[in-house]
Amino acid sequence: MIKNSIIVKISILFIVAIIGLGAFSYYFIREEINKEILENQLKYSQFLATINQLVRFGGNVDLIEKYLYELGLQQIQEEKALKNFENHLTPNLTNGIIAKVIKQENGVYLFLQTPTEWKLYGDFHKNKLFNYYLITFFAFLVVVFLFALVIKSILPLKTLRKEIRKFANGQTNIACKINQNDEIGELSREFENAVEKINALNQSRHLFLRAIMHELKTPITKGRITAEMIDNSVYKERLCSVFERLNSLINEFAKIEELSSRNYCLNKQNYVLKDILNQVFAMLLLDKTQIQELFSLPNENYILRCDFEMLTLAIKNLLDNALKYKSKGKVELRAKGDDLEILNFGTPLPYSLKDHCKPFFKDEKSNKNGGLGLGIYIVKSTLESQGLTLDYTHINDMNIFIIKGVIAQNPK
């Protein structure tokens, strides 16, 4: 994550730019220094030839100094600078004038010595190249300023990322507006507008679903009360079971709505398989006789790591589908390793499991009424919310749906 950060990439870019600017400035200034030293060496050689002519024709020191002054050369009087030239003195000079050109790393100089004194003429390149150093310094300042400006502009992306992550985790009360008149500020404002619209849609959806479930529960409750008044025990039991089934379906829809809107509080614990199956069969409205006739169940008490309500909902849908589409025999539920398998005899799925996991998926290859096409989708959603996965295979005329990794402990 850090390696792919925009801030890291921009920092690397500016570091490379600063290094490149420094290297260019260094070689450019060095080239200019060498070029100027060479030019000065040629120029000073011409001056030296002229001075030698003046000395040959009887010129004195005053005449030579006047000539150098007219050429624009200045006498160097700094003690630190003069100390570097003391080794060029000619010892025991009794008469005459000695003039010579001295080349050093920082420039070319004209050395003039008489029996009584010696003088140095010329200049330091750091004075002549001051403009180059000044331009380089300002270039570095501009690069650093631009770097700080860009970093300051993109730093709000961290805040925006945190708010988006909160929103993705279900927190709707976020504030991510950034007071910048650039693309990042515009992005934050558009995202905040989108959050407001999504919150409004979610609130209207919750209100709509709750209103529907409330309106449905009212006639179901009245119907159940009316069914209890029937004298015929057979009809009474059938009608009551129908109303219980409808009430159970509404409760399931409520759980699915909470799960899809990420308002469901997951509670994963260890549960005994037998307790989960008892709840599943209660949801399917099956008695013990029907359970024995329709299912083959394991006798061992396996420990499952899951959310009780979500897993019962998933297993209930799988068993319901297994009963609906089986061709013969019982529906078998068995444990294999840390997986829980549900098996039934029947034709293989006409489409891939991925297709059947889509909401409102319809089997166009079959003339059977497949309902709303939410069964496998509900199973997949409830399992994924617990960190579990659903797998499917077809072996020996048997459909096998596998809830992977749900068994936490096998019986000893």
Side-chain angles (χ1 to χ4, degrees), residues 227-292:
E228 292 289 347
M229 297 179 181
I230 297 176
D231 295 331
N232 191 314
S233 60
V234 176
Y235 291 137
K236 176 180 177 180
E237 184 179 353
R238 288 179 181 176
L239 285 174
C240 287
S241 65
V242 169
F243 287 119
E244 286 179 3
R245 176 66 170 165
L246 289 174
N247 190 58
S248 176
L249 287 174
I250 291 175
N251 292 332
E252 289 181 23
F253 287 143
K255 292 177 186 177
I256 295 168
E257 190 277 331
E258 289 181 359
L259 184 64
S260 62
S261 61
R262 299 185 180 181
N263 291 323
Y264 182 79
C265 184
L266 199 67
N267 181 25
K268 289 187 69 174
Q269 295 183 22
N270 290 337
Y271 297 97
V272 180
L273 176 60
K274 183 179 179 180
D275 295 337
I276 293 176
L277 292 179
N278 289 337
Q279 179 65 20
V280 169
F281 294 138
M283 295 167 68
L284 292 172
L285 304 176
L286 299 174
D287 55 30
K288 290 183 178 181
T289 303
Q290 291 173 316
I291 294 172
Q292 292 175 357

Side-chain angles (χ1 to χ4, degrees), residues 47 51 63-74 110 112 121:
F47 294 164
I51 291 171
L63 181 62
I64 295 173
E65 289 181 346
K66 182 180 179 182
Y67 168 71
L68 295 177
Y69 177 78
E70 290 176 353
L71 293 176
L73 294 181
Q74 297 178 354
L110 187 64
L112 190 65
Y121 295 88

Side-chain angles (χ1 to χ4, degrees), residues 178-243:
I178 299 172
N179 295 323
Q180 289 184 191
N181 296 322
D182 54 13
E183 291 81 355
I184 296 176
E186 185 177 352
L187 175 63
S188 68
R189 289 188 288 273
E190 292 297 330
F191 179 71
E192 187 161 286
N193 293 334
V195 169
E196 292 177 356
K197 292 180 180 178
I198 291 172
N199 289 337
L201 289 174
N202 282 335
Q203 290 176 0
S204 62
R205 182 173 67 91
H206 292 161
L207 181 62
F208 176 73
L209 290 174
R210 289 173 183 175
I212 287 179
M213 287 188 287
H214 174 74
E215 294 300 323
L216 287 175
K217 284 210 170 195
T218 300
I220 289 173
T221 303
K222 291 181 178 180
R224 174 64 186 273
I225 295 172
T226 304
E228 292 289 347
M229 297 179 181
I230 297 176
D231 295 331
N232 191 314
S233 60
V234 176
Y235 291 137
K236 176 180 177 180
E237 184 179 353
R238 288 179 181 176
L239 285 174
C240 287
S241 65
V242 169
F243 287 119

Side-chain angles (χ1 to χ4, degrees), residues 109-165:
Y109 304 94
L110 187 64
F111 184 85
L112 190 65
Q113 181 181 359
T114 64
T116 59
E117 60 179 349
W118 62 277
K119 296 180 180 181
L120 187 68
Y121 295 88
D123 57 0
F124 290 102
H125 284 272
K126 65 180 181 181
N127 295 326
K128 290 188 176 181
L129 298 174
F130 176 76
N131 291 335
Y132 292 129
Y133 289 117
L134 188 63
I135 292 172
T136 301
F137 174 73
F138 278 111
F140 273 102
L141 284 183
V142 170
V143 172
V144 173
F145 173 76
L146 290 176
F147 173 72
L149 191 65
V150 172
I151 292 297
K152 182 181 178 182
S153 298
I154 65 175
L155 275 179
L157 283 176
K158 289 187 175 181
T159 303
L160 185 60
R161 182 185 63 184
K162 291 179 180 178
E163 297 300 322
I164 292 175
R165 186 173 295 172

